[in-house]
Amino acid sequence: MKLHDAMRKTVREYGVRVISEKRLIFILADLRAFEEYPAVKPVLENIVSGGAGRELVRLFLEEDRDWFLSYAGNLKKSLSGKNHFRQDLADYAADSLLYGLGLTDTVTEPSDHGFDPAEHGSGAGRAGAGGGRI
């Protein structure tokens, strides 16, 4: 099952608060949501264990949509910047949460199926990096 579909199923079954709980990772693993993109698992673990999941729940339940989406955008930047996760994985993890909560209908999947969640430099000069024209 795709991560975003598993996220929606999990939120529907367990409620919004599940995105702030460690069991989210176990539920998603049971649904085989990390099989296609295993590197996204540590990104979601970081969201849950780092307190961002708790803040997402609070904003979703107590604030308006704009505040929530602003925080989600900042979370993506933080995950790829401060936490050094690949941008495509940070986007996929956060967008899957948004999809699970019913706040978006589209999710862009990561660029590869690798296991490495970390960004290692800019990718400049590496064959196939960045998708630029040759």
Side-chain angles (χ1 to χ4, degrees):
M1 179 178 284
K2 300 267 187 196
L3 175 62
H4 56 279
D5 292 326
M7 191 72 71
R8 182 165 282 177
K9 176 182 170 67
T10 302
V11 169
R12 285 182 178 161
E13 188 170 331
Y14 295 95
V16 172
R17 294 189 192 283
V18 74
I19 68 170
S20 67
E21 300 170 357
K22 189 174 183 174
R23 70 181 172 142
L24 172 66
I25 305 303
F26 299 116
I27 294 166
L28 294 173
D30 288 346
L31 293 172
R32 304 175 107 180
F34 301 117
E35 285 192 357
E36 192 168 4
Y37 301 104
V40 81
K41 183 178 179 183
V43 180
L44 277 172
E45 288 173 333
N46 182 282
I47 290 170
V48 172
S49 67
R54 196 168 36 256
E55 184 64 8
L56 286 168
V57 168
R58 186 190 74 73
L59 290 170
F60 183 79
L61 295 174
E62 298 174 8
E63 301 292 341
D64 67 19
R65 179 186 172 108
D66 291 336
W67 275 102
F68 182 91
L69 294 175
S70 175
Y71 181 82
N74 289 334
L75 176 61
K76 290 179 191 182
K77 290 176 189 170
S78 174
L79 288 168
S80 64
K82 179 173 83 169
N83 294 309
H84 305 290
F85 289 116
R86 289 182 11 216
Q87 185 68 56
D88 61 338
L89 296 174
D91 290 347
Y92 186 53
D95 289 345
S96 292
L97 287 166
L98 294 174
Y99 185 87
L101 294 168
L103 296 175
T104 189
D105 292 329
T106 59
V107 175
T108 302
E109 294 183 13
S111 58
D112 71 51
H113 299 275
F115 289 88
D116 190 3
E119 184 67 57
H120 300 288
S122 68
R126 287 188 301 169
R133 282 196 274 180
I134 296 177

